[in-house]
Each structure stands twice: as structure tokens, then as C-alpha cells.
Amino acid sequence: MELPFISLILFSSFFLFQVELLDDGGYSEVILAARIGQRKSKKVLKKFLLFEDDDDTSRMWKWYSFEHELSFLQSLEHPNIVRVSAAFQCPSYLGFLMEYLHTDLYRGLLDVSYSEAESYTSQLTDVMCYLHGQRVIHGDLKLENVLLDTVGLVKLCDFGHSQVIPGDTDKPDGWRGTDGYLPPEMDDCQLHNAFKMDNYSLGILLWALFYGTAPHDDIDYLYKVDNGSFLKPQHKHCLQRLLWSFPLSVRKRPAKACIENSRGLCVLGNTRDPQAGADPGETTTHGDREEEGEEEEEAGEEDE
């Protein structure tokens, strides 16, 4: 995939006013903004802050970070990727405007029903098929980087760690990501298949949706999946494949070709219109599934 030329417009921040600060990353900010006189028409503004005392290295890094993420957002077209509507240069920052979605999967995790997890899984695996088909890895898949609208449509955001993997290799040019989602093969301080590494992070994200629990280091994900009787067989099989972690088993984890060519393996869930809502009778909550898991563990202890 070739990344596009970035075109900027000079822009005055007086055309926008801040409604809410959504995230503060030090050298960047994400704010909820609206145009003056159009308060109900909200957009998300990501700002790469330019300070008067920035040295040349710092300013070059901010320009690079801005252009890098914007190039992906401008070139990728998929209904499950957030849309960018404008990019501009101001005296105090570089910025781009994106569509506004009301929450993300991290904040909404505890309210996700099984049928919703199924729908989000179908959407996320579909967009990952698209990215990997373009030889693009997201590089930082996590609950916070999946936005959610009011009708059940999810959209990937934050392509700051994304990469285009050249056609003559499957290895990434470094890997950053977020603790809790990092593939275990990084423990040997070597870079492996970039698509499989991306898919491990996808597996952790999908696991969190079905189990209603944010990831952390002391979870044995495969044990939980193997003993999760509430999981439908296709979802259990998908999670098991994505979460292979032992050194000799990483080869079993799907790469992009496996996802694309075996859609029944990883493209799961109901592909109905998200506005149609949940299927009748599928309103199992995370609390119900946690109780079921506890009963399984107790039964296992009795057998021993």
C-alpha cells in the first residue's frame, strides 16, 4: 500500500471551541470540539502541540508523528475505520478532525452482552482482514482504540503505531503496543511475523469482549477459553487459535492469509446490520458468564 501525499490547510483555532478534553498525551491532545455556532455538530480534534521552546529534533518528531498517523487515516477506507475530514496547521499545533463516536469499548466493556460481543468480533475481524490484505498492521490493538457509536458500529482509531509491511518480509520495523496486549514472543527480544503479532493483540481484545474483563498479566487466557462453556464453538476455536502463545505453538496462530482464506475460522458473529439490535434470547450478561465460569472451576476442583 502506498501512503498518500499529505495536504494541509492553514487553519485558525478560533473556528473551533473545546467541549471536553478526552486525552492528554503530553505532546498531543485529543479533544471533543465543535464549530462556533454549531455546538451540536461535534468532531474529535487530535492536536500535536508545538511549543515555542521546542528544539529542532522535537519539532521534527511531532511533524513525523502527525504525518505518519494522518497518512494511514487518509489512505484506508473501511466502514470500521474512523474517518478524518480535515487536516491543518496552526501556529500552536498540527491537527486533524475526525468523526465523533460517543464511547470506546474500554469504557463500555461491562455493558457488552454476548450477542454484542459476537457482532463486534465480526466487525473487528473483518477490518483486520482488510488491513492485513493491504499489508498494514495496526500495531496497538486494545479496547481503548476501538470506538463505538450508538447503533453498535465499532471503528478502529489511533494509527500512530501502524506500519506497512514490505512485500519481501513479514517482520515489523520494531514494535511498541500496550502492556497487556503484547504478543508473548516478544519475551525472546526478537521480532517475528508482524501479522501474527497483530492477531495476538486482536485475540486479547476479543477475549476481553466475551469475558467482560480488561486484560492483565496474570490471566491464563487459553485456560479460560478452554474451560469457557458459555462460548459458542466457533468463538472458542477462534480465540484458541489467536491466543496460541507457547514458542512452538505460535506457528498455529493465524497470519493474514489464514484469516483471509479461512473466513469461517476467524470472521465470526452475526453480520446483520448493527441497527437491528441483539437477537432475541441472547442477552447474557458478563455477570452471568462469570458465575458460570466459577461453577466450572468449582466442578473441576471437585473432580480432582
Side-chain angles (χ1 to χ4, degrees):
M1 184 190 79
E2 293 185 1
L3 299 180
F5 172 77
I6 307 261
S7 59
L8 298 179
I9 58 175
L10 294 178
F11 192 84
S12 170
S13 59
F14 291 111
F15 287 112
L16 295 171
F17 68 92
Q18 179 173 322
V19 178
E20 180 183 354
L21 177 64
L22 301 177
D23 186 44
D24 183 358
Y27 74 91
S28 66
E29 290 180 348
V30 180
I31 68 171
L32 180 60
R35 293 185 182 273
I36 294 176
Q38 301 178 12
R39 187 178 181 88
K40 292 184 179 180
S41 180
K42 297 177 181 177
K43 295 284 187 180
V44 172
L45 171 61
K46 184 162 186 177
K47 301 164 64 175
F48 296 80
L49 305 175
L50 303 175
F51 302 111
E52 290 183 2
D53 59 352
D54 281 345
D55 58 25
D56 291 343
T57 301
S58 176
R59 190 156 293 233
M60 287 177 60
W61 171 250
K62 292 174 182 179
W63 266 100
Y64 168 79
S65 299
F66 165 72
E67 292 180 341
H68 177 83
E69 182 169 2
L70 181 59
S71 65
F72 283 97
L73 291 173
Q74 287 184 327
S75 60
L76 297 169
E77 295 184 9
H78 191 279
N80 297 115
I81 294 176
V82 68
R83 296 192 305 272
V84 61
S85 57
F88 36 80
Q89 177 183 0
C90 298
S92 61
Y93 66 88
L94 306 165
F96 50 82
L97 280 176
M98 299 174 287
E99 61 183 316
Y100 168 63
L101 285 80
H102 79 292
T103 191
D104 59 52
L105 289 183
Y106 181 80
R107 288 183 288 177
L109 183 61
L110 294 179
D111 297 323
V112 175
S113 67
Y114 192 98
S115 60
E116 288 170 333
E118 189 173 38
S119 174
Y120 302 158
T121 294
S122 179
Q123 295 178 63
L124 288 168
T125 51
D126 188 68
V127 70
M128 292 308 295
C129 285
Y130 166 75
L131 289 179
H132 290 180
Q134 302 292 316
R135 297 197 66 82
V136 172
I137 57 168
H138 184 276
D140 194 19
L141 287 171
K142 57 182 177 181
L143 293 165
E144 294 91 331
N145 285 343
V146 184
L147 305 178
L148 175 65
D149 72 4
T150 56
V151 295
L153 184 68
V154 295
K155 297 200 176 192
L156 286 181
C157 67
D158 196 347
F159 284 76
H161 296 326
S162 296
Q163 300 179 42
V164 178
I165 305 300
D168 60 351
T169 182
D170 286 329
K171 296 187 184 301
D173 181 16
W175 195 274
R176 297 181 70 180
T178 298
D179 289 344
Y181 297 85
L182 297 175
E185 54 265 37
M186 290 188 67
D187 292 343
D188 63 9
C189 299
Q190 296 184 30
L191 296 175
H192 297 267
N193 185 296
F195 304 104
K196 292 190 176 188
M197 295 171 73
D198 223 17
N199 283 340
Y200 181 84
S201 301
L202 173 64
I204 296 294
L205 195 164
L206 300 183
W207 181 93
L209 290 177
F210 283 108
Y211 280 81
T213 302
H216 50 87
D217 292 337
D218 59 348
I219 297 177
D220 186 339
Y221 296 105
L222 279 175
Y223 175 82
K224 290 279 191 181
V225 171
D226 290 343
N227 292 278
S229 63
F230 68 87
L231 290 170
K232 293 181 179 180
Q234 67 269 33
H235 299 144
K236 176 177 287 193
H237 185 56
C238 177
L239 291 173
Q240 287 171 331
R241 290 293 304 276
L242 290 172
L243 294 172
W244 279 113
S245 58
F246 300 106
L248 296 179
S249 302
V250 171
R251 67 179 185 275
K252 298 181 180 180
R253 191 188 309 151
K256 66 180 182 67
C258 190
I259 291 182
E260 290 179 302
N261 296 333
S262 302
R263 296 183 68 83
L265 171 65
C266 288
V267 180
L268 306 172
N270 194 331
T271 57
R272 65 183 181 277
D273 185 341
Q275 298 187 49
D279 287 337
E282 291 202 13
T283 56
T284 306
T285 65
H286 285 306
D288 297 332
R289 302 204 288 275
E290 287 172 0
E291 290 177 4
E292 184 177 358
E294 290 172 0
E295 291 174 357
E296 287 178 356
E297 291 180 3
E298 290 174 1
E301 291 173 359
E302 290 176 1
D303 292 341
E304 292 177 1

